Amino acid sequence: MKNLKLPITIDPFKSAQRRLECEGVFKLSGMNRLLAVCESSSEQVKAKFNFDVDERGLNVLSGAGSALVKLTCQRCTEAFEYELKTDFVFSPVKNQDAIAELPSYYDAIELDENGEVNLLELLEEEFLISIPLIPRHEPKDCSASADSVWGELPEELEKPNPFDVLKQLK
C-alpha cells in the first residue's frame, strides 16, 4: 500500500455524508507538542479516519493512529523506542451547547472557524494522552534493577500512642 499524505483539515459533515474512509500518513515533524515530550524514531505517523452517520443521525469520526517514538526510561534514564497507539471515536459539534446532548460513548470535538476538524491536531492530542505516565523499559530490558532504592530511608521515630491514655482508664 502507498503511504498517502492525509489532509490536515477536513469538513466532517460532508465527509460523513459520503461515508469517507481515508488512510495514510502525517509527518511527525508537524507535531511540535508531541516532539517536545519525546524524540522521533520515524518520520511518519500512520493514521486511519472513518467518517459516518450513526443510527441517531449523529456524525461520527472514528479511527486509529500509530507512531514510533523514543521515550526516556524513568528507572535507568536511557532512551527506548515505544509505539504510541490510539483508537478514537468523536462526534463533531458546532458549539458548547451541543456537547451536553452527545451520548457518553462519543467524545466531542469542536470545529474550527471554517467548520472543519484539524486531523493532525486531533491525532497529536490522542498521542499525548497515550504516552505512559511513567515511561520505562520492560524490567528484563532495563539496565536498572526494578527494585532499586535511591538513598536511605529515615528510621521510624518512636511516637507515643495517643490511645495509651485509654488503657490507664480501665
Side-chain angles (χ1 to χ4, degrees):
M1 180 186 139
K2 256 176 122 178
N3 286 334
L4 301 174
K5 191 173 177 185
L6 293 168
I8 302 291
T9 61
I10 196 165
D11 183 331
F13 299 109
K14 289 179 183 176
S15 300
Q17 295 303 320
R18 295 186 350 224
R19 297 197 179 345
L20 181 67
E21 291 183 13
C22 49
E23 188 171 352
V25 295
F26 286 118
K27 288 192 175 193
L28 191 57
S29 61
M31 297 184 172
N32 296 327
R33 291 181 300 147
L34 181 63
L35 291 175
V37 295
C38 61
E39 297 176 36
S40 77
S41 280
S42 62
E43 292 181 18
Q44 297 179 334
V45 173
K46 295 178 185 173
K48 181 176 184 177
F49 298 97
N50 298 312
F51 298 87
D52 204 356
V53 179
D54 71 359
E55 64 277 351
R56 295 180 66 185
L58 294 171
N59 292 303
V60 179
L61 163 57
S62 62
S66 66
L68 194 60
V69 296
K70 285 186 183 174
L71 299 175
T72 302
C73 177
Q74 297 302 299
R75 265 188 289 224
C76 67
T77 65
E78 293 178 14
F80 69 102
E81 286 193 341
Y82 185 82
E83 185 175 13
L84 295 174
K85 291 183 179 181
T86 184
D87 294 311
F88 49 86
V89 179
F90 289 100
S91 183
V93 293
K94 293 181 180 177
N95 55 40
Q96 288 288 330
D97 299 333
I99 293 174
E101 298 173 14
L102 278 181
S104 61
Y105 45 87
Y106 291 140
D107 288 325
I109 185 162
E110 287 193 55
L111 304 175
D112 65 10
E113 62 278 353
N114 299 321
E116 296 182 331
V117 171
N118 188 318
L119 299 178
L120 182 67
E121 285 180 6
L122 179 146
L123 196 56
E124 183 178 27
E125 288 283 333
E126 292 299 307
F127 283 148
L128 286 168
I129 292 170
S130 69
I131 293 175
L133 185 60
I134 302 172
R136 55 186 175 232
H137 290 103
E138 291 296 321
K140 63 180 172 50
D141 298 331
C142 194
S143 62
S145 162
D147 57 344
S148 60
V149 178
W150 300 93
E152 291 186 29
L153 297 175
E155 289 185 26
E156 188 71 31
L157 297 176
E158 194 168 316
K159 297 179 184 176
N161 186 343
F163 297 104
D164 284 343
V165 176
L166 296 175
K167 287 181 184 176
Q168 296 172 2
L169 294 176
K170 284 187 176 183

Coordinates of all heavy atoms in Angstrom, one line a residue, residues 4 10 18 30 32 56 71 81 84 97 99 103 117 129 132 139 150 167-168:
L4 N -0.2 7.5 1.6 CA -0.8 8.7 1.1 C -0.7 9.8 2.1 O -1.0 9.5 3.3 CB -2.3 8.4 0.7 CG -2.5 7.4 -0.4 CD1 -4.0 7.1 -0.6 CD2 -1.8 7.8 -1.7
I10 N -10.4 18.9 7.5 CA -11.5 18.3 6.7 C -12.8 18.7 7.2 O -13.0 18.9 8.4 CB -11.3 16.8 6.6 CG1 -12.1 16.2 5.4 CG2 -11.6 16.1 7.9 CD1 -11.7 14.7 5.1
R18 N -20.7 11.3 2.8 CA -20.1 10.4 1.8 C -19.5 9.1 2.4 O -19.0 8.3 1.6 CB -19.0 11.2 1.1 CG -19.5 12.4 0.3 CD -18.4 13.1 -0.5 NE -17.1 12.7 -0.3 CZ -16.0 13.5 -0.2 NH1 -16.2 14.8 -0.2 NH2 -14.8 13.0 0.0
G30 N 5.5 17.6 12.1 CA 4.4 18.6 12.2 C 3.8 18.6 13.6 O 2.9 19.4 13.9
N32 N 4.6 19.4 16.9 CA 5.5 20.0 17.8 C 5.3 19.7 19.3 O 6.3 19.6 20.0 CB 5.5 21.5 17.6 CG 6.0 21.9 16.2 OD1 6.8 21.2 15.6 ND2 5.4 22.9 15.6
R56 N -28.6 7.3 15.2 CA -29.3 8.5 15.8 C -29.1 9.7 14.9 O -29.7 10.8 15.2 CB -28.7 8.8 17.2 CG -28.9 7.7 18.2 CD -28.4 8.1 19.5 NE -29.1 9.2 20.1 CZ -28.8 9.8 21.2 NH1 -27.7 9.4 21.9 NH2 -29.5 10.8 21.7
L71 N 11.2 7.4 24.1 CA 10.9 8.0 25.4 C 12.1 7.7 26.3 O 12.9 6.9 26.1 CB 9.7 7.3 26.0 CG 8.4 7.5 25.2 CD1 7.3 6.6 25.9 CD2 8.0 8.9 25.1
E81 N 12.7 2.8 22.4 CA 11.6 3.0 21.4 C 10.3 2.5 22.0 O 10.2 1.5 22.7 CB 11.9 2.3 20.1 CG 13.0 3.0 19.3 CD 13.2 2.5 17.9 OE1 12.7 1.3 17.6 OE2 13.7 3.2 17.1
L84 N 3.4 4.4 20.1 CA 2.2 5.0 20.5 C 1.1 4.5 19.6 O 1.2 4.6 18.4 CB 2.3 6.5 20.4 CG 3.3 7.2 21.3 CD1 3.4 8.7 21.0 CD2 3.0 7.1 22.8
D97 N -23.0 24.0 23.6 CA -24.4 23.5 23.9 C -24.6 22.1 23.4 O -25.3 21.3 24.0 CB -25.5 24.5 23.4 CG -25.3 25.9 24.1 OD1 -24.8 26.0 25.2 OD2 -25.8 26.8 23.4
I99 N -22.5 19.8 23.1 CA -21.7 18.8 23.8 C -22.5 18.0 24.8 O -22.5 16.8 24.9 CB -20.4 19.4 24.4 CG1 -19.5 19.9 23.4 CG2 -19.8 18.4 25.4 CD1 -18.3 20.7 23.9
P103 N -24.2 11.5 23.3 CA -24.2 10.3 24.2 C -22.8 10.1 24.8 O -21.8 10.6 24.3 CB -24.5 9.1 23.2 CG -24.8 9.7 21.9 CD -24.5 11.2 21.9
V117 N -12.4 20.1 11.0 CA -11.7 19.5 12.1 C -10.2 19.3 11.6 O -9.9 18.9 10.5 CB -12.2 18.0 12.4 CG1 -11.4 17.3 13.3 CG2 -13.7 18.1 12.9
I129 N -2.1 11.9 25.0 CA -2.8 11.2 26.1 C -2.3 9.8 26.2 O -2.3 9.2 27.3 CB -4.3 11.2 25.8 CG1 -4.9 12.6 25.9 CG2 -5.1 10.3 26.7 CD1 -6.3 12.8 25.3
P132 N 2.7 6.9 28.3 CA 2.6 6.4 29.7 C 3.0 7.5 30.7 O 3.8 8.3 30.4 CB 3.6 5.2 29.7 CG 4.0 5.0 28.3 CD 3.7 6.1 27.5
P139 N 11.0 -4.7 32.5 CA 12.1 -5.0 33.5 C 13.3 -5.8 33.0 O 14.4 -5.6 33.3 CB 11.3 -5.8 34.6 CG 9.9 -5.3 34.5 CD 9.7 -5.0 33.0
W150 N 16.8 4.4 46.0 CA 17.6 5.6 45.9 C 17.7 6.3 47.2 O 16.7 6.8 47.7 CB 17.1 6.6 44.8 CG 17.0 5.9 43.5 CD1 15.9 5.3 43.0 CD2 18.0 5.8 42.5 NE1 16.2 4.8 41.7 CE2 17.5 5.1 41.4 CE3 19.3 6.2 42.5 CZ2 18.2 4.8 40.3 CZ3 20.1 5.9 41.3 CH2 19.5 5.2 40.3
K167 N -6.0 3.0 78.0 CA -5.7 1.8 78.7 C -5.6 2.1 80.2 O -5.9 1.2 81.0 CB -4.3 1.2 78.2 CG -4.4 0.6 76.8 CD -3.1 0.1 76.4 CE -3.1 -0.5 75.0 NZ -1.8 -0.9 74.6
Q168 N -5.1 3.2 80.6 CA -5.0 3.6 82.0 C -6.3 3.8 82.7 O -6.5 3.6 83.9 CB -4.2 4.9 82.2 CG -2.7 4.7 81.7 CD -2.0 6.0 81.7 OE1 -2.5 7.0 82.1 NE2 -0.8 6.0 81.3

